[in-house]
Amino acid sequence: MAEKDLSLEQQLAALKEENARQKKMIDALVKRVEQGGSGQVDAWGAFQHSVVLADQVREKTEELNHALHSIESTNRQLTQANQHAEQAHQRFIDAIESISDGFALYDPNRELVYSNSRFQRYWQDNAISLNTPSLTPEKIQQLAKDRGLIVREVSGNRNGHTLKLQNGRWLQIKERETSDGGVVMLYSDITQLKLAETARFEAAMAEKSRILQNMVDNLSQGVLMVSKSGEVQVFNQRFLDMSGFEQSRLIGALIEPLAEESPLTLWRIGRGGIRPPEGIRVQTLNDGRVIEVRSHAMDDQGYVNTYTDITQRYLDAKELRETEQWLRLITDNVPALIAYVGDDLHYQFTNRAYDDWYGFPRGQLIGKHISVSRRSSTFEALRPYVERALDGESVVFEIEEYNASGEARYVVKSYVPNQASNGKITGLFVLNWDITERKQNAEELEQAYQTMEHRVQERTAQLQTLNDQLQDEVEERRVIQERLLETKKEAERANLSKTKFLAAISHDLLQPLNAAQLYLGSLLSHRMSPSARKLVSSLAHSLEDVESLITTLVDISKLDAGVVRADKQSFPVSDLLDNIADDFSHAAEGTSVEVRYVHSSAYVYTDSQLLARIVRNLMTNAIRYTPSGKILLGGRRCKEGLRIEVLDTGVGIPEDKKNEIFQEFKRLTAKQDESHTQLGLGLAIVDKIASVLGHTVTVDSVPGEGSRFSVLVPYGRPETQSIRNVESLVSDNSVVLQGARVWVIDNDPNICRAMEELLQRWGCEVTCAGSLEELQISCDTVQSPVELLIADYHLDNDMTGLALAKSINQQRMQKVPTVIVTANRSEELQHQARDCGYLVMHKPVSPMRLKMTMVHLLTGDQADPIPARVGASHNR
């Protein structure tokens, strides 16, 4: 703006100078005309000349006026420019003053040119004068440091840094160069920002401290941290439980008095130059707990002690040592030579007989190669057998070896590979038997045989004379053969009576189990503690195992004998699968196995009892071999019939094992179920029942991914079904048991007591007897009121429950609803009971099943006796 004013003033001066020069010229011309000249001057010419001069004067005058107007306009513009400059300058000052930061402008020599009031107050309030000439930022900052105004300086980037003042405030200084080489600096008060950062940092540290304390409190180990000065800094609840200290006692306490009171070691292990291996110490407390103490040194000369309760580990190790001692005691007293070598053929175990036979001190062979105990030639002879064993083959062979005395002996060796779960051979069990004496005896027997043969030849001539007598004996043998044929026929007839034998043995085996089930049902209705109920549940599982094993063995025998017959009929498959899916869904609760079920509305034509056994065995097999994952039960419609499938994501079946799994006493792995005992008969029963039904069972499997078992069942025709919800019947009408009079006939007193205890707990009035005569003594069997008769099938003196029930009902005006309890599962007995209008319950009797049957009979619905629930296992 100043340069523009200077240019306008120069133009105005030039115009004034030109105007003055032209004015002088005009005055000179006018003067010349007025004074005239000589008489020879032409007046007309002078006039014309004056006119020309006048025109020129007029033109110059107009130019002059135009110049004056331009000068005036320029002056106005200059005035406006000056006003604008002053206004912009004032606005610049107002803007600088309005910002919340201190502002300072420095020239290229970094000397202060201008600053706002906020900048001035920063320093003047602390007696720092800004009127000092040549005041640079460095001088201002040095003056502030000399007066103690600046407490701390924090270097930033190249454009600024941060200062902390003595009053606790923070200034952030930013600088930027101007176009002329000067510097602009902004002084920002960031105290609140710093306080917020500090608060966030302290909150973050507090949160980290809280998380750290939570983590320490949730450790399974006790933790104690002690500072360099011996002051307790950190501890957790686990440490308090182990040491017995109260929390208030430890906060801020010194470790020295605490260490004298505590049974635990509180000092750092290894202090004072005595350092146990790895800083570990094991202590046994007065209450028998075994604690492992470890010390960890910190960089600040403090330390952390951790306390681990290893009581169970200590007891397990002790038990393991005792077991090892027993094992060694047993093997040391076995005459066989026993050893175990790893896959590297180095000894890991030898018994006393093995060491003595090869002439090595006790335990000296451990860790050495098997070649050290024999000659090199002998080892080379053994190498092929060793390699076969390492390939997974069990090898038995004879070989000549030298014992500790150098004597050649004949030894039978057995190499049994030890196979890990992943299929890798981890070692070999070695069993040796010295058969030298046996072999020598065999040779002596061979020599004796040769001598005997010579003697036989001598006797042949003598025996020839007896040939005639042998002819007679041949005739006698023919007669005997005919008798044997007759005996064979009798054996075949005896085989036909195998069903009766199975029924009898089932009765004898299941009788005590039936009593146990009844007692258990009564016991479960009592109130008991959780621990007692857990024991009762374990007992129930054990009884179920016994029941399952006995029933399975009997079923296998029946299937092998060919006495099982299919009773086929049409029914909706959902009646079978819904119950099975519900049972196994409850069985899988609390495990890592998820049971899924796809409902099917198809009708099938088969024996519901036998098909239920197949599906239940397949589901049991799927759960057993699926440690974690999913199991799917459902039906797939095919052209040939309904394919009932059980799919799992378990361990799978190798291709070469698919036929073997259907054999008896075969299991895929040697792993035992933790809660049930199994014989490996489940799939064998599936195969045999499928043969009886004429159904096809198939299996598809991929090892490590899962298996799919399926059974193809022909379709049935929809029929009108009257399916009753028996469980609902029990829950809605169980009141009918209150006061019900029940007669129980069983020749086993234990069964009578169990049945009486169970029925009385249900509110029944029970009369128990071991025979019809005892019942007649207790009550009038003809006129005494009674609502239900429960009779065992096998009674004393060849009396059966059917005969007893017939005898009672023939004498009464109205038949008594009757239940026959038996272990005999023959179809003949089922038909006999059905013809008499009686229900049959198979042993062992389930308390819930008994209760449902009694409620059904006492409600008077005789037309539809309750069969075994469709899909229910026959041994439930």
Side-chain angles (χ1 to χ4, degrees):
M1 184 64 68
E3 293 178 355
K4 187 174 182 181
D5 294 344
L6 180 61
S7 176
L8 291 174
E9 290 177 358
Q10 291 176 353
Q11 291 179 7
L12 180 61
L15 291 173
K16 287 180 178 181
E17 184 178 355
E18 178 66 22
N19 188 28
R21 186 175 64 80
Q22 291 180 359
K23 186 177 181 181
K24 287 181 180 181
M25 291 175 60
I26 292 172
D27 290 341
L29 290 174
V30 172
K31 183 178 180 180
R32 183 177 179 183
V33 171
E34 290 177 350
Q35 289 178 355
S38 62
Q40 292 82 13
V41 177
D42 187 5
W44 176 252
F47 176 75
Q48 289 180 336
H49 182 70
S50 62
V51 171
V52 171
L53 288 177
D55 291 337
Q56 292 178 351
V57 169
R58 187 171 57 253
E59 292 176 357
K60 294 297 183 181
T61 302
E62 290 177 354
E63 291 178 357
L64 180 60
N65 290 333
H66 181 70
L68 290 174
H69 285 299
S70 297
I71 291 173
E72 291 178 358
S73 176
T74 302
N75 286 333
R76 286 195 299 271
Q77 293 177 357
L78 179 61
T79 302
Q80 291 177 355
N82 288 332
Q83 291 176 352
H84 290 163
E86 292 178 357
Q87 187 177 10
H89 182 68
Q90 185 61 40
R91 289 176 178 174
F92 169 74
I93 294 175
D94 294 341
I96 296 302
E97 289 293 335
S98 65
I99 62 177
S100 60
D101 301 332
F103 175 87
L105 176 65
Y106 298 90
D107 61 16
N109 296 324
R110 296 182 66 83
E111 294 182 359
L112 182 63
V113 176
Y114 179 80
S115 61
N116 65 356
S117 58
R118 186 174 293 276
F119 173 82
Q120 295 170 5
R121 284 199 301 273
Y122 283 148
W123 312 111
Q124 291 176 354
D125 291 346
N126 292 276
I128 297 177
S129 174
L130 298 179
N131 296 325
T132 304
S134 302
L135 194 61
T136 63
E138 292 76 12
K139 289 183 180 180
I140 295 175
Q141 189 165 330
Q142 186 60 44
L143 289 172
K145 288 182 178 179
D146 295 341
R147 287 169 173 75
L149 175 61
I150 297 176
V151 177
R152 180 184 175 189
E153 181 177 1
V154 180
S155 300
N157 54 27
R158 60 186 182 87
N159 293 325
H161 56 282
T162 305
L163 302 178
K164 182 178 182 181
L165 306 183
Q166 65 179 0
N167 57 2
R169 306 194 69 79
W170 287 84
L171 291 181
Q172 185 182 49
I173 302 175
K174 295 182 180 179
E175 63 179 73
R176 179 175 294 181
E177 294 183 358
T178 60
S179 59
D180 61 351
V183 177
V184 172
M185 289 189 175
L186 290 178
Y187 296 77
S188 304
D189 190 332
I190 60 171
T191 304
Q192 295 300 323
L193 179 61
K194 281 290 185 178
L195 292 177
E197 289 179 355
T198 302
R200 286 195 299 271
F201 176 76
E202 291 176 352
M205 292 302 295
E207 178 65 16
K208 288 182 179 179
S209 176
R210 185 186 65 80
I211 294 174
L212 178 61
Q213 185 63 46
N214 288 340
M215 181 188 70
V216 171
D217 287 339
N218 286 280
L219 289 177
S220 60
Q221 300 172 315
V223 177
L224 174 68
M225 187 171 77
V226 181
S227 66
K228 174 183 177 181
S229 60
E231 183 179 349
V232 175
Q233 292 183 317
V234 176
F235 55 88
N236 64 355
Q237 186 61 43
R238 186 67 174 160
F239 173 77
L240 295 176
D241 296 339
M242 290 182 179
S243 64
F245 284 117
E246 295 291 336
Q247 182 176 356
S248 57
R249 178 74 174 82
L250 292 179
I251 297 176
L254 294 177
I255 196 64
E256 185 171 356
L258 296 175
E260 296 178 358
E261 302 176 17
S262 174
L264 292 175
T265 298
L266 302 186
W267 294 110
R268 180 168 68 87
I269 299 175
R271 69 190 186 103
I274 303 174
R275 184 178 298 276
E278 301 181 0
I280 303 174
R281 178 176 297 165
V282 177
Q283 290 184 276
T284 301
L285 303 184
N286 295 332
D287 57 3
R289 289 182 297 170
V290 181
I291 307 298
E292 180 186 77
V293 186
R294 291 176 179 260
S295 288
H296 311 272
M298 297 190 298
D299 294 338
D300 60 354
Q301 297 184 9
Y303 65 91
V304 175
N305 278 0
T306 58
Y307 303 85
T308 307
D309 190 335
I310 61 170
T311 306
Q312 189 59 46
R313 191 197 315 168
Y314 176 81
L315 295 176
D316 292 343
K318 182 180 178 181
E319 183 178 355
L320 182 61
R321 288 193 299 270
E322 293 175 353
T323 303
E324 183 179 357
Q325 292 175 359
W326 275 107
L327 178 61
R328 183 165 293 279
L329 178 64
I330 294 171
T331 56
D332 284 347
N333 287 277
V334 172
L337 313 182
I338 303 174
Y340 180 82
V341 296
D343 55 359
D344 57 354
L345 299 184
H346 285 73
Y347 286 107
Q348 296 183 11
F349 174 82
T350 58
N351 69 342
R352 187 186 307 277
Y354 196 96
D355 292 335
D356 295 343
W357 198 91
Y358 285 102
F360 284 88
R362 191 76 174 98
Q364 186 173 341
L365 285 175
I366 303 302
K368 294 183 179 180
H369 196 271
I370 61 173
S371 60
V372 303
S373 61
R374 50 187 54 85
R375 299 181 182 182
S376 58
S377 58
T378 304
F379 178 69
E380 291 301 321
L382 291 175
R383 188 182 297 276
Y385 301 104
V386 173
E387 292 175 352
R388 288 168 56 189
L390 290 177
D391 288 337
E393 180 184 355
S394 295
V395 183
V396 180
F397 59 96
E398 292 184 14
I399 195 171
E400 185 181 62
E401 281 197 325
Y402 295 89
N403 61 10
S405 303
E407 180 183 359
R409 308 286 291 180
Y410 290 100
V411 179
V412 174
K413 288 184 172 290
S414 175
Y415 290 159
V416 180
N418 181 22
Q419 189 173 12
S421 58
N422 59 1
K424 181 181 178 182
I425 303 301
T426 60
L428 302 177
F429 295 99
V430 180
L431 300 177
N432 296 350
W433 294 272
D434 190 336
I435 62 169
T436 306
E437 286 77 11
R438 189 192 312 171
K439 197 170 185 64
Q440 292 173 352
N441 293 335
E443 292 175 353
E444 293 175 357
L445 288 174
E446 179 66 23
Q447 294 176 358
Y449 175 76
Q450 294 176 359
T451 303
M452 181 75 68
E453 185 178 4
H454 179 69
R455 294 177 62 187
V456 168
Q457 291 175 356
E458 293 178 350
R459 295 291 301 271
T460 300
Q462 299 175 10
L463 293 175
Q464 188 67 33
T465 60
L466 301 175
N467 188 40
D468 295 337
Q469 299 176 7
L470 291 177
Q471 292 295 332
D472 297 335
E473 292 180 3
V474 169
E475 180 64 21
E476 293 177 0
R477 289 181 179 179
R478 185 184 62 80
V479 176
I480 293 173
Q481 186 175 8
E482 292 178 354
R483 294 177 180 176
L484 289 175
L485 291 175
E486 183 65 22
T487 304
K488 180 181 178 182
K489 293 180 180 179
E490 292 178 0
E492 290 174 351
R493 288 193 295 269
N495 187 49
L496 294 177
S497 64
K498 188 175 182 180
T499 303
K500 294 182 179 180
F501 168 76
L502 292 175
I505 193 173
S506 299
H507 176 271
D508 293 340
L509 290 175
L510 295 177
Q511 190 75 348
L513 182 60
N514 183 37
Q517 287 279 33
L518 295 174
Y519 279 127
L520 184 62
S522 177
L523 181 60
L524 285 172
S525 63
H526 287 76
R527 292 184 178 179
M528 58 186 73
S529 65
S531 59
R533 186 164 293 278
K534 182 177 180 182
L535 291 175
V536 173
S537 298
S538 300
L539 177 59
H541 284 300
S542 300
L543 290 177
E544 289 176 2
D545 284 346
V546 175
E547 173 190 346
S548 177
L549 293 177
I550 294 174
T551 307
T552 300
L553 291 174
V554 172
D555 287 349
I556 284 290
S557 300
K558 288 184 177 181
L559 290 168
D560 290 339
V563 298
V564 176
R565 297 290 183 268
D567 183 13
K568 296 184 179 181
Q569 58 184 346
S570 294
F571 63 94
V573 73
S574 60
D575 291 346
L576 182 146
L577 298 183
D578 289 353
N579 293 323
I580 295 177
D582 182 67
D583 290 346
F584 281 91
S585 296
H586 285 90
E589 290 179 357
T591 69
S592 56
V593 178
E594 178 184 2
V595 176
R596 294 185 178 180
Y597 168 56
V598 179
H599 180 82
S600 175
S601 59
Y603 278 73
V604 294
Y605 181 74
T606 185
D607 187 313
S608 63
Q609 295 285 336
L610 297 180
L611 180 61
R613 189 64 187 275
I614 290 178
V615 178
R616 283 185 176 274
N617 282 7
L618 293 180
M619 288 292 291
T620 301
N621 188 72
I623 287 182
R624 184 176 304 124
Y625 292 103
T626 306
S628 61
K630 298 178 181 178
I631 296 176
L632 175 64
L633 170 63
R636 187 187 302 274
R637 293 178 182 265
C638 303
K639 181 179 179 180
E640 301 80 8
L642 182 68
R643 190 180 300 277
I644 300 175
E645 297 183 340
V646 176
L647 298 91
D648 64 70
T649 60
V651 298
I653 305 170
E655 187 66 27
D656 57 344
K657 300 289 186 182
K658 288 185 179 179
N659 293 328
E660 183 179 327
I661 60 176
F662 290 98
Q663 300 176 14
E664 297 176 4
F665 304 102
K666 291 290 185 180
R667 288 177 295 189
L668 185 60
T669 64
K671 181 179 179 181
Q672 297 290 337
D673 191 303
E674 295 178 358
S675 59
H676 297 285
T677 302
Q678 302 296 335
L679 294 178
L681 295 175
L683 293 181
I685 292 178
V686 167
D687 187 55
K688 294 178 185 294
I689 295 178
S691 299
V692 172
L693 294 174
H695 300 340
T696 302
V697 177
T698 57
V699 57
D700 297 312
S701 181
V702 178
E705 296 184 9
S707 305
R708 176 177 63 189
F709 287 82
S710 59
V711 54
L712 184 62
V713 185
Y715 291 118
R717 293 180 299 176
E719 298 177 359
T720 303
Q721 298 286 326
S722 177
I723 305 301
R724 305 184 58 196
N725 191 334
V726 182
E727 288 81 355
S728 175
L729 180 67
V730 173
S731 61
D732 295 340
N733 300 301
S734 59
V735 69
V736 301
L737 296 179
Q738 298 294 326
R741 287 157 293 200
V742 182
W743 292 349
V744 177
I745 313 299
D746 199 303
N747 60 344
D748 190 339
N750 195 24
I751 295 290
C752 287
R753 288 193 297 271
M755 188 71 76
E756 183 178 14
E757 172 69 15
L758 180 62
L759 298 183
Q760 286 180 351
R761 293 199 62 82
W762 292 345
C764 300
E765 297 179 9
V766 185
T767 301
C768 291
S771 63
L772 178 59
E773 292 75 16
E774 290 184 16
L775 181 63
Q776 291 172 341
I777 294 174
S778 301
C779 60
D780 186 355
T781 58
V782 178
Q783 296 183 355
S784 294
V786 61
E787 281 76 38
L788 188 63
L789 171 63
I790 302 175
D792 186 39
Y793 180 71
H794 291 282
L795 299 175
D796 295 335
N797 301 321
D798 296 329
M799 173 67 75
T800 66
L802 282 176
L804 183 144
K806 289 180 181 178
S807 176
I808 293 176
N809 287 320
Q810 286 174 357
Q811 301 176 23
R812 297 183 65 90
M813 296 293 294
Q814 185 177 0
K815 287 186 177 182
V816 181
T818 302
V819 178
I820 303 299
V821 180
T822 179
N824 187 345
R825 302 176 185 272
S826 65
E827 294 181 3
E828 180 182 0
L829 176 58
Q830 293 278 0
H831 291 306
Q832 291 177 1
R834 188 180 305 169
D835 293 340
C836 296
Y838 305 154
L839 295 184
V840 175
M841 295 193 69
H842 294 136
K843 296 181 180 179
V845 177
S846 167
M848 178 55 68
R849 184 66 193 158
L850 176 62
K851 189 174 185 180
M852 290 190 295
T853 303
M854 293 176 61
V855 170
H856 173 77
L857 292 178
L858 291 175
T859 54
D861 189 0
Q862 301 293 334
D864 183 21
I866 301 176
R869 183 179 59 180
V870 175
S873 176
H874 72 280
N875 64 342
R876 292 290 176 189

